[in-house]
Amino acid sequence: MAEPLVAVRGLSKSFGGLRATDRVDLDVEDGETHAIIGPNGAGKTTLIGQLAGDLRPDAGTTRFAGQDVTSLDAPARSRLGLARSFQITSIFPDFSALDNVALAVQAHSGSSFRFWRPARAERELREPALAVLDGVGLGARADVLAATLAHGEQRQLEIAMALATRPRLLLLDEPVAGMGLEETQRMVRLLSTLKRRLTIVLVEHDMDAVFTLADRISVMVYGRIIATGSPEGVRSNAEVRRAYLGEGTPP
Amino acid sequence: MAISRRAIVLAAGAVLLALVPPVAGLLNQPFYVDLFRRMMIFAIAALSLDLILGYGGMVSFGHAAYLGIGAYAVGILAFYGVDNGFLQWSVAVAASAVAALVIGAISIRTSGVYFIMITLAFTQMLYYLGISLETYGGDNGMPLRTRSQFAGLVDLRNPSAFYYLVLALLVLFLVLGRRLVDARFGRVIRAARSNEPRARAIGFSPFRYKLAAFVLAGGACGLAGALLANQTEYLTPDFMHWTRSGEIMFMVILGGMGTLFGPVLGAVVLLGLEDVLSALTEHWQIILGPFLVVVVLFAKRGLFGLVEGEVPRDG
């Protein structure tokens, strides 16, 4: 069996006395959609931050695509093919939707120490950006200022920016949080089309979305992964039911 | 249409500035050539600050440092008999750029109030360094031996020739600056200002771009310093005083941050008001202060925003 795309070993991070992640081991296989669920404060977002390279671990290693990336920061990991969305929508609000995506293309297309030619006139930035924007269903909104897009559209824009970097791994931190039913369904359909083309790590509280999308699920409680398995296996795991699913969301 | 209105405003501004020497000649008021040349020199300093402040989001409260370094480069070389302007001005730009590289490499790692304080601290260090240089006049400063020589190409002792050289440089910097902020480089620093974690997440390492912008701005302001030394024919540590940094920053904010043209307008208006009001009363700052407060409160995009009219902000 080939090496997993992501191999995390013993990853720990404390904030003061709080152990946000506690010796986490996690394998994400190439091509799978791997959901991470758990109650609030379980350390899911910290784990995403560590995978993305925004947070330095206190201990442990992260390997990505066969390479030790533990000491690499977020921009370096992005260039290796790791893309993310944030829990709280993170876009360039004073740029148009198209320019948001074009910037993501630019970051992965040659040097940005270019001082003369207007970036807007560069077809090699504009055309891929338009294609990606079309792909997530925002083609008609290309010239709209990102700040004025609806919440759901901004989340789609974030996915478009991630895709524009042509990633191998997509880290999604609560992609349907705060969305209405219709917006949620649209996002889940979008993510379904990305499954298999990409490896996805998905942190989400919406259990319908998780059980629709995930190939495997890991359950995180108090900074530790207490179970990993197929959706059916996790659904029937007694410890998981007690720790999490029993708390309100019926499986 | 907004674009044509901007074009009209800019063309009118350029024509008005170009007409200053002949009109001053007709009115027999050579003083105005001097005043407007001074405005344009500060306009270059202010637009260089706008690159890092308005587009890069770096609130440098020490931009006068480069003004001082550029001026002292010219003054010290002249002191030792080196009058060649090409050499003097190259040294002025290079020395300012190197200083910006050092100051930027340290300060850009911080942000917010810390960034402001570190840039201020460095400039104060240079200010006191200037005071301690007894050879070059200490805190009294020293006269510039002679204006920079350009091998017969331009004679800076001719007020109009000097004036048009400054105007040409101002236009050049506006064109270069305009290209730069719309090119890939400018988009990276604007993206980093807009949302740095997002810029990092899509693969940019903003530090190197911000540092490069900081160095470019420092070098450009160094040239303004070289011009200023020739303008005043005197140099003093006061060029680097923190109130001078504040004045340059005010030109940017008054005229409109992130517009490049705004700071030019800001420099003209601020120095113009200073000149008019100080003729009226000794306590002219009592009038200037409230005016500035009103502009900052009611004109979000500065004076240039008012003249230019509504333009949708775009990336």
Side-chain angles (χ1 to χ4, degrees):
Chain A
M1 170 117 203
E3 189 182 354
L5 184 63
V6 181
V8 169
R9 292 292 174 270
L11 211 59
S12 299
K13 178 81 191 173
S14 300
F15 298 104
L18 178 76
R19 291 206 132 186
T21 52
D22 188 5
R23 285 161 287 162
V24 169
D25 292 341
L26 176 69
D27 282 340
V28 179
E29 303 297 338
D30 203 357
E32 77 169 332
T33 295
H34 194 123
I36 298 171
I37 63 173
N40 285 321
K44 303 184 298 294
T45 293
T46 302
L47 180 59
I48 291 283
Q50 284 177 302
L51 289 174
D54 281 328
L55 293 171
R56 280 290 152 88
D58 301 331
T61 58
T62 305
R63 293 177 64 79
F64 174 65
Q67 185 178 346
D68 186 345
V69 297
T70 311
S71 62
L72 296 185
D73 65 4
R77 291 189 196 192
S78 166
R79 287 192 287 271
L80 286 179
L82 200 152
R84 74 173 297 187
S85 75
F86 289 81
Q87 189 176 8
I88 295 165
T89 309
S90 181
I91 52 174
F92 301 114
D94 45 352
F95 287 72
S96 73
L98 180 62
D99 285 335
N100 268 268
V101 184
L103 272 163
V105 176
Q106 182 185 325
H108 292 258
S109 141
S111 169
S112 281
F113 280 100
R114 299 188 195 172
F115 300 89
W116 185 252
R117 191 164 158 219
R120 277 240 180 101
E122 289 194 46
R123 293 180 66 179
E124 58 178 294
L125 301 183
R126 190 183 170 82
E127 284 177 359
L130 259 178
V132 174
L133 216 46
D134 268 331
V136 302
L138 283 178
R141 308 282 277 160
D143 294 322
V144 176
L145 201 59
T148 61
L149 292 172
H151 173 69
E153 291 176 323
Q154 293 184 344
R155 306 293 322 207
Q156 286 170 272
L157 180 60
E158 261 200 286
I159 304 286
M161 293 170 80
L163 294 178
T165 66
R166 279 173 289 162
R168 290 188 66 182
L169 173 67
L170 196 54
L171 303 171
L172 301 174
D173 197 354
E174 299 195 27
V176 304
M179 285 188 177
L181 186 62
E182 202 180 315
E183 283 181 328
T184 299
Q185 287 172 344
R186 196 182 312 143
M187 178 60 80
V188 170
R189 270 202 304 276
L190 170 61
L191 296 180
S192 305
T193 65
L194 301 178
K195 256 172 80 79
R196 313 270 175 252
R197 279 168 48 200
L198 282 171
T199 307
I200 299 176
V201 172
L202 171 73
V203 166
E204 189 48 70
H205 282 297
D206 185 319
M207 286 305 129
D208 288 338
V210 167
F211 283 102
T212 307
L213 292 167
D215 302 311
R216 286 202 301 161
I217 297 176
S218 289
V219 183
M220 207 170 172
V221 180
Y222 295 124
R224 314 192 70 158
I225 289 181
I226 60 164
T228 296
S230 66
E232 298 72 33
V234 165
R235 209 194 282 259
S236 56
N237 181 312
E239 194 184 356
V240 173
R241 295 176 73 101
R242 195 168 53 246
Y244 182 55
L245 294 176
E247 284 187 348
T249 318
Chain B
M1 214 183 121
I3 290 175
S4 61
R5 181 158 166 185
R6 168 182 277 207
I8 292 166
V9 169
L10 294 179
V15 170
L16 287 177
L17 283 176
L19 285 176
V20 167
V23 171
L26 281 175
L27 299 173
N28 204 15
Q29 294 281 0
F31 160 74
Y32 284 109
V33 178
D34 202 68
L35 175 66
F36 276 86
R37 198 170 55 215
R38 184 180 170 78
M39 289 170 175
M40 292 193 297
I41 292 170
F42 275 96
I44 292 173
L47 83 87
S48 76
L49 176 61
D50 192 29
L51 176 67
I52 54 175
L53 175 62
Y55 291 92
M58 292 175 268
V59 187
S60 167
F61 198 45
H63 216 56
Y66 315 109
L67 209 55
I69 292 169
Y72 269 85
V74 170
I76 291 173
L77 284 172
F79 181 81
Y80 292 110
V82 181
D83 294 332
N84 184 304
F86 294 110
L87 182 64
Q88 285 179 338
W89 293 15
S90 304
V91 172
V93 171
S96 305
V98 169
L101 182 66
V102 173
I103 296 173
I106 295 166
S107 58
I108 293 172
R109 295 177 194 283
T110 68
S111 60
V113 172
Y114 301 100
F115 183 84
I116 298 175
M117 286 300 136
I118 289 177
T119 50
L120 173 63
F122 272 111
T123 307
Q124 286 298 89
M125 276 167 50
L126 288 167
Y127 172 71
Y128 286 110
L129 176 67
I131 285 182
S132 68
L133 293 175
E134 290 299 335
T135 321
Y136 311 118
D139 56 355
N140 289 321
M142 67 173 179
L144 183 68
R145 267 170 41 118
T146 164
R147 282 187 173 166
S148 304
Q149 308 289 315
F150 286 93
L153 282 177
V154 196
D155 185 0
L156 297 192
R157 283 167 307 179
N158 176 333
S160 295
F162 186 15
Y163 182 93
Y164 285 115
L165 175 65
V166 175
L167 177 58
L169 287 171
L170 175 60
V171 171
L172 175 71
F173 276 115
L174 280 173
V175 171
L176 290 177
R178 215 44 250 178
R179 298 296 302 206
L180 185 149
V181 298
D182 285 333
R184 284 188 175 207
F185 179 79
R187 306 252 288 187
V188 180
I189 60 169
R190 289 156 71 189
R193 185 212 56 195
S194 175
N195 186 345
E196 182 147 347
R198 182 29 97 188
R200 294 171 54 81
I202 57 174
F204 289 119
S205 299
F207 178 78
R208 65 185 79 160
Y209 299 99
K210 288 165 84 169
L211 183 58
F214 203 84
V215 169
L216 288 174
C221 193
L223 185 62
L227 296 170
L228 187 63
N230 279 283
Q231 163 83 8
T232 56
E233 296 183 272
Y234 200 91
L235 42 134
T236 113
D238 280 347
F239 287 175
M240 294 179 278
H241 197 252
W242 67 272
T243 54
R244 185 70 59 139
S245 297
E247 220 172 272
I248 300 172
M249 191 183 290
F250 227 109
M251 292 168 182
V252 176
I253 295 168
L254 178 68
M257 276 192 290
T259 60
L260 291 181
F261 304 113
V264 177
L265 188 60
V268 170
V269 170
L270 193 73
L271 294 177
L273 277 176
E274 213 175 279
D275 181 63
V276 173
L277 296 177
S278 61
L280 292 176
T281 162
E282 195 182 331
H283 308 292
W284 53 273
Q285 283 170 331
I286 291 178
I287 307 171
L288 187 66
F291 168 75
L292 298 178
V293 171
V294 167
V295 171
V296 170
L297 280 180
F298 293 104
K300 279 271 149 58
R301 293 173 58 244
L303 292 176
F304 190 69
L306 293 181
V307 242
E308 192 191 26
E310 276 308 303
V311 179
R313 283 202 73 172
D314 57 12

